[in-house]
């Protein structure tokens, strides 16, 4: 009898095989998305499972590819939040607040 599963991160193995562009700034997935939108692969995980018993063998594998977007570098003055404030997450398309929060206890720095 055997019952085993594993999860592997394949980023390093794929990069060692020559697949390096997809993991950084030089990634170009415009053929998939139809536009240059600065996507890159953040992680490749593979999960496998096998069970062997007197009744037979069951096996499965699945691969997950995490995609993220690259952000433009932003230079801005630091924000100092040293008094209570309110913040919001807003759906700009519909002008609807999705979340509103407030901070009232500011820790001393």
């Amino acid at each position: 009898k055997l019952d085993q599963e594993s999860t592997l991160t394949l980023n390093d193995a794929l990069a060692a095989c020559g697949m390096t562009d997809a993991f950084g700034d030089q990634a170009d997935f415009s053929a998939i998305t139809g536009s240059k939108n600065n996507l890159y692969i953040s992680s490749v995980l593979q999960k496998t499972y096998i069970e062997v018993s007197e009744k037979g063998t069951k096996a499965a594998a699945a691969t997950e590819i995490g995609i993220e977007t690259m952000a433009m570098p932003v230079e801005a003055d630091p924000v100092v939040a040293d008094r209570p404030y309110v913040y919001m997450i807003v759906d700009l398309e519909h002008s609807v607040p999705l979340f509103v929060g407030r901070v009232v206890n500011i820790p001393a720095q």
Side-chain angles (χ1 to χ4, degrees):
K1 290 184 175 186
L2 172 68
D3 189 358
Q4 186 175 14
E5 65 180 67
S6 67
T7 302
L8 300 171
T9 302
L10 300 178
N11 292 37
D12 293 340
L14 291 169
C17 291
M19 187 178 149
T20 55
D21 289 356
F23 293 101
D25 300 9
Q26 60 278 17
D28 180 4
F29 291 101
S30 59
I32 297 171
T33 63
S35 67
K36 181 73 174 155
N37 50 10
N38 298 323
L39 297 178
Y40 71 97
I41 295 176
S42 59
S43 63
V44 179
L45 302 175
Q46 187 166 54
K47 186 166 187 167
T48 60
Y49 172 79
I50 186 165
E51 177 186 336
V52 179
S53 70
E54 295 83 4
K55 296 179 181 179
T57 301
K58 296 178 187 175
T63 303
E64 171 189 298
I65 300 174
I67 304 284
E68 294 190 23
T69 59
M70 292 177 258
M72 294 286 295
V74 176
E75 292 184 24
D77 294 329
V79 174
V80 178
D82 58 357
R83 55 195 73 185
Y85 60 92
V86 174
Y87 58 94
M88 300 172 66
I89 298 173
V90 179
D91 177 345
L92 296 177
E93 183 178 340
H94 300 98
S95 298
V96 176
L98 302 173
F99 183 87
V100 178
R102 68 182 179 135
V103 176
V104 293
N105 297 324
I106 308 295
Q109 295 183 359

